[in-house]
Amino acid sequence: MAALTSNFYVTGGTLRMDHTCYLERQADQDLLRGLMAGEFCYVLTARQMGKSSLMVHATQKLRDRGCAVTLLDLTSLGQNLTCEQWYDGLLVRVGRELQLENDVDEYWLQHERQGPCLRFFNALREVVLPSLRLHHSQPQPAGAHPSPDPGNPPRRLVVFIDEIDVVRSLPFSTDEFFAAIRGCYNQRSQDPILDRLTFCLLGVATPAELMRDPHTTPFNLGLRVELADFTPDQALPLARCLAPGQPQGYADSLLQRILHWTHGHPYLTQRLCRGVAHHLENHPNLQPPEPLVDRTCAELFLSSRARETDDNLLYVRERLCRTESDLAALLELYEQILAGKAVPDNELSELVNQLRLAGVVRVEHGQLVVRNRIYEQVFDRQWIAATKPIAELQISDGRKIRLRGTTTLGRTEANDVALPDAKVSRRHAVIHRQGPCELWLADLGSRNGTFLNGNKIQVPTPLSDQDRVEIGPFRLVFSQPNVPRRPGQPGTSVDRTVFEG
């Protein structure tokens, strides 16, 4: 039983094709149907939703139907490389998976005058697609175009590109890569061979985020495949290993309570199932389902330690807190959803897209709701209050620092804001939170002083929107647009104890 329990539930990584705990969802059918029809598809959603496992299972089904398939994991190419190395790496992997490595390598070297993007897509067009007309026992020279053979019809090529969001970290723009994919689709009417080439993009990004140039049309081509949570019926196979030796009704009751907490979120559901099964493995006596599941859920996700160690909770938190959008506005929108207010789904809203990519919300009858009860308790109003920035500092070197509470400024990395310069003291100044949204600036006995709007401060002084702070050579602009400016007057009523020592 120990081996069965430990091997059945998988809480990380890609599920093998033969793994029995893979659960099919509507997305499996939608993706297979779209790719077989030649649609360009994309699966862009939060992490740990089963994107890579979906890709692996779709790959096998496509191959069973006679398609040629290649899987390109962008993380395997690395990021510290040139544009030419990146496209060459893509083509090498295509050639290796389709047993055309020598052919594509020869083409790449013979067409060095072409740019790397054009060379990659031309290699697909002129080498790979024509070769897929042939049986492996009929090799042809690279670039040769065989005549049609009714007994050996051409095969469709499906290119999966996983971890597509990696392109945002590359040292060069990949806008032309997505433009070329769009071009393959647009040129089908003039170039019929491209009917046999289709792409599927998977990752954590919005279509707009894939393009660096804001003046370029977002990559919103083709079919968007939604990866939803498990429904109760889809999750039923997970009950088989929850309580071996116990009545099936007992295992079903356990699963029902697990779904009460997870709402079928793939990772959270598998993780909680595994925890419950492990507990029953060591304590096989029959226990009431609800208290058992609730206690296990609290240990795995709701405790203080779990909130700081669980991979999924950390991902959701970091995705929200490190957003490139307005964090305060993002959390205010989430707070409305948490309070049960009607917030419609809107693919054109940057804030809505960021909440969905974090995985903290889902769509229900066209409205956004909190994803599940675990997130509802972990990312609650108290967490929002502690996380929401009440102001921002824009530093002259381009950095933007979100202020949530007391923030130290100084020369060393030990400070919340490091200002590395000899004219800055080790602990130079502090911005202290006083009340719900009031921030005060104080000098910590620095050698060269701290200046506010051109005046050297002698006592703790309240900050107002667009105040200018000068520390050594650094110029910092304080931004707090939602709080009215206070009259210019020195302040001495702040709690002085926080500045001493």
Side-chain angles (χ1 to χ4, degrees):
M1 181 168 62
L4 182 63
T5 297
S6 60
N7 292 333
F8 184 73
Y9 301 108
V10 178
T11 58
T14 303
L15 288 175
R16 300 189 312 269
M17 184 64 200
D18 59 349
H19 208 294
T20 52
C21 81
Y22 182 78
L23 306 179
E24 287 204 359
R25 289 172 276 180
Q26 184 63 42
D28 290 83
Q29 302 175 34
D30 294 342
L31 181 59
L32 182 62
R33 187 183 304 115
L35 294 174
M36 288 300 298
E39 290 268 14
F40 286 69
C41 300
Y42 55 98
V43 187
L44 303 177
T45 188
R47 294 211 179 277
Q48 297 182 311
M49 284 295 295
K51 294 183 294 297
S52 296
S53 298
L54 171 71
M55 175 184 67
V56 168
H57 284 71
T59 294
Q60 187 58 53
K61 292 180 180 180
L62 288 165
R63 287 173 175 162
D64 290 344
R65 288 161 173 75
C67 296
V69 183
T70 181
L71 281 63
L72 304 177
D73 181 349
L74 297 191
T75 58
S76 67
L77 296 179
Q79 299 178 24
N80 186 24
L81 70 179
T82 66
C83 181
E84 174 137 351
Q85 290 172 327
W86 190 73
Y87 281 102
D88 184 33
L90 291 177
L91 191 58
V92 166
R93 281 158 178 76
V94 171
R96 185 180 302 155
E97 293 200 18
L98 300 178
Q99 300 179 17
L100 295 169
E101 196 166 2
N102 290 336
D103 294 339
V104 298
D105 189 52
E106 181 181 347
Y107 184 92
W108 184 266
L109 295 175
Q110 289 179 350
H111 295 79
E112 289 184 338
R113 294 181 62 183
Q114 296 178 359
C117 179
L118 178 62
R119 211 183 322 171
F120 172 77
F121 283 93
N122 279 352
L124 296 181
R125 164 68 180 78
E126 298 178 23
V127 178
V128 178
L129 287 175
S131 299
L132 297 178
R133 290 176 174 271
L134 303 175
H135 293 302
H136 293 298
S137 58
Q138 298 175 303
Q140 293 284 323
H145 293 269
S147 57
D149 178 0
N152 183 20
R155 299 166 66 197
R156 179 181 302 282
L157 172 61
V158 178
V159 181
F160 284 98
I161 305 176
D162 197 13
E163 303 291 352
I164 193 66
D165 42 300
V166 167
V167 301
R168 304 186 66 206
S169 303
L170 293 174
F172 53 88
S173 171
T174 54
D175 287 2
E176 62 177 356
F177 176 71
F178 298 105
I181 292 178
R182 182 188 287 115
C184 290
Y185 181 82
N186 294 336
Q187 294 167 21
R188 283 177 168 182
S189 58
Q190 289 84 32
D191 197 352
I193 196 173
L194 294 177
D195 283 332
R196 296 194 286 112
L197 174 63
T198 192
F199 293 83
C200 178
L201 311 182
L202 305 98
V204 184
T206 65
E209 286 177 340
L210 297 177
M211 310 292 282
R212 291 191 184 182
D213 186 349
H215 302 295
T216 304
T217 305
F219 187 84
N220 53 4
L221 174 73
L223 174 67
R224 176 174 181 170
V225 177
E226 296 283 354
L227 258 180
D229 294 332
F230 300 141
T231 66
D233 288 341
Q234 291 167 350
L236 275 178
L238 296 177
R240 61 189 291 187
C241 289
L242 276 175
Q246 302 292 355
Q248 184 61 41
Y250 179 67
D252 292 342
S253 297
L254 289 172
L255 181 60
Q256 182 179 359
R257 189 62 179 177
I258 288 170
L259 296 178
H260 164 84
W261 282 104
T262 69
H263 194 266
H265 183 287
Y267 167 84
L268 298 178
T269 302
Q270 295 263 9
R271 181 75 179 90
L272 190 49
C273 281
R274 188 172 187 171
V276 170
H278 180 73
H279 177 86
L280 290 174
E281 180 183 39
N282 295 298
H283 306 86
N285 55 306
L286 206 64
Q287 303 171 53
E290 290 194 10
L292 169 59
V293 173
D294 292 356
R295 185 169 60 252
T296 306
C297 181
E299 293 171 356
L300 293 177
F301 303 116
L302 306 182
S303 67
S304 298
R305 181 177 182 276
R307 297 179 192 214
E308 296 300 323
T309 58
D310 180 77
D311 288 344
N312 182 262
L313 299 181
L314 289 174
Y315 163 74
V316 174
R317 185 183 72 189
E318 292 303 300
R319 179 79 196 192
L320 290 172
C321 291
R322 296 188 179 184
T323 179
E324 295 177 3
S325 304
D326 184 337
L327 179 59
L330 185 71
L331 293 181
E332 286 169 5
L333 180 63
Y334 171 64
E335 191 169 19
Q336 294 177 34
I337 298 169
L338 184 66
K341 296 181 180 179
V343 177
D345 182 32
N346 179 6
E347 290 188 9
L348 300 180
S349 168
E350 176 66 19
L351 296 180
V352 168
N353 285 329
Q354 292 305 317
L355 289 177
R356 293 191 62 179
L357 285 178
V360 74
V361 300
R362 57 184 170 86
V363 181
E364 186 174 282
H365 307 302
Q367 303 292 318
L368 296 179
V369 297
V370 180
R371 190 69 176 253
N372 51 62
R373 288 182 172 87
I374 293 174
Y375 290 169
E376 197 172 70
Q377 291 207 17
V378 173
F379 305 107
D380 57 8
R381 290 178 178 174
Q382 184 177 356
W383 177 83
I384 294 173
T387 304
K388 185 189 298 184
I390 58 176
E392 183 178 82
L393 271 183
Q394 183 167 349
I395 307 177
S396 51
D397 60 12
R399 285 181 289 164
K400 290 184 178 181
I401 307 298
R402 290 161 175 160
L403 303 178
R404 301 183 180 93
T406 299
T407 303
T408 59
L409 304 95
R411 187 174 69 246
T412 68
E413 294 292 337
N415 295 278
D416 298 310
V417 180
L419 303 173
D421 189 272
K423 295 181 179 179
V424 179
S425 298
R426 292 175 61 87
R427 294 183 72 249
H428 195 107
V430 63
I431 296 174
H432 174 66
R433 183 170 180 169
Q434 190 83 356
C437 59
E438 190 171 311
L439 293 171
W440 291 60
L441 175 67
D443 185 79
L444 295 177
S446 67
R447 183 173 66 253
N448 295 314
T450 301
F451 294 80
L452 179 62
N453 298 322
N455 300 313
K456 187 175 183 178
I457 62 172
Q458 305 294 338
V459 296
T461 306
L463 290 167
S464 293
D465 184 41
Q466 298 306 305
D467 274 349
R468 301 181 307 281
V469 179
E470 296 177 29
I471 296 178
F474 295 93
R475 306 293 181 267
L476 304 89
V477 178
F478 177 81
S479 177
Q480 197 177 28
N482 295 327
V483 177
R485 282 189 62 86
R486 288 176 287 273
Q489 57 182 18
T492 56
S493 62
V494 67
D495 181 0
R496 296 291 295 272
T497 61
V498 299
F499 304 121
E500 296 174 355

